[in-house]
Amino acid sequence: MDDQPRPDRPTTAMTFDQMLERVRYEGAYPTRERAEEVVRTVLTALGRQIIGDERVDLAHRLPTDAALVLTAPGPDSEQLTGWGFVKDLATRTGGTPATARWDAGAVLAAVASLAGPDLLARILRRLPDGYALLFGQAQLRQPPSRLAA
């Protein structure tokens, strides 16, 4: 399966510059450069967690520069929970979990908007618990299935 964005991809609803400005505003970052650094860091980390068709479909919805960042790393062999994702992000950036959570939320809110509700729901079904809140969504749990007696 090819995880790289396709050249015939549809036009996204947002350019990379617009995405950076949205993240800069949402995250209250002082400069565009800081917003870009955060976008690249969070998308790289997300790219290690998303696999399969959801990864490819998300790349098609993102601006080209963002899609290239998302698909550059190969998926990790072990998926992290949402909290594990935040802790890993903090470790990789040398920041605190609180800062990593803030950064993830600022970027993933923009990603959620670009993904749309259907693709976002598919992504969240494939990821371990804890990611919905990072994407600005309610964390809904499915009731355990009851075995017939």
Side-chain angles (χ1 to χ4, degrees), residues 23 31 40 42 87 89 100 110 119 127 140:
V23 169
T31 64
R40 291 183 182 282
V42 172
K87 289 191 305 186
L89 195 57
L119 177 55
L127 290 170
L140 302 176

Side-chain angles (χ1 to χ4, degrees), residues 26-29 38 86 97-107:
E26 294 289 331
Y29 299 110
V38 169
V86 169
T99 302
R101 168 61 180 94
W102 182 268
D103 292 346
V107 175

Side-chain angles (χ1 to χ4, degrees), residues 4-5 13-14 19 21 24 49 59 67 72 77 83 87-88 98 102-103 105 107-108 116 121 136 138 144 149:
Q4 295 297 315
M14 189 181 296
M19 182 180 185
E21 283 305 313
R24 181 178 177 194
Q49 298 301 307
S77 58
W83 176 238
K87 289 191 305 186
D88 182 63
W102 182 268
D103 292 346
V107 175
L108 297 181

Side-chain angles (χ1 to χ4, degrees), residues 38-90:
V38 169
V39 166
R40 291 183 182 282
T41 301
V42 172
L43 286 179
T44 298
L46 183 64
R48 289 191 294 269
Q49 298 301 307
I50 297 180
I51 59 172
D53 290 341
E54 288 76 18
R55 178 181 168 103
V56 173
D57 292 347
L58 180 57
H60 286 155
R61 304 265 178 102
L62 296 176
T64 302
D65 289 350
L68 291 171
V69 172
L70 177 80
T71 58
D76 279 351
S77 58
E78 178 184 346
Q79 281 191 315
L80 301 171
T81 64
W83 176 238
F85 178 83
V86 169
K87 289 191 305 186
D88 182 63
L89 195 57

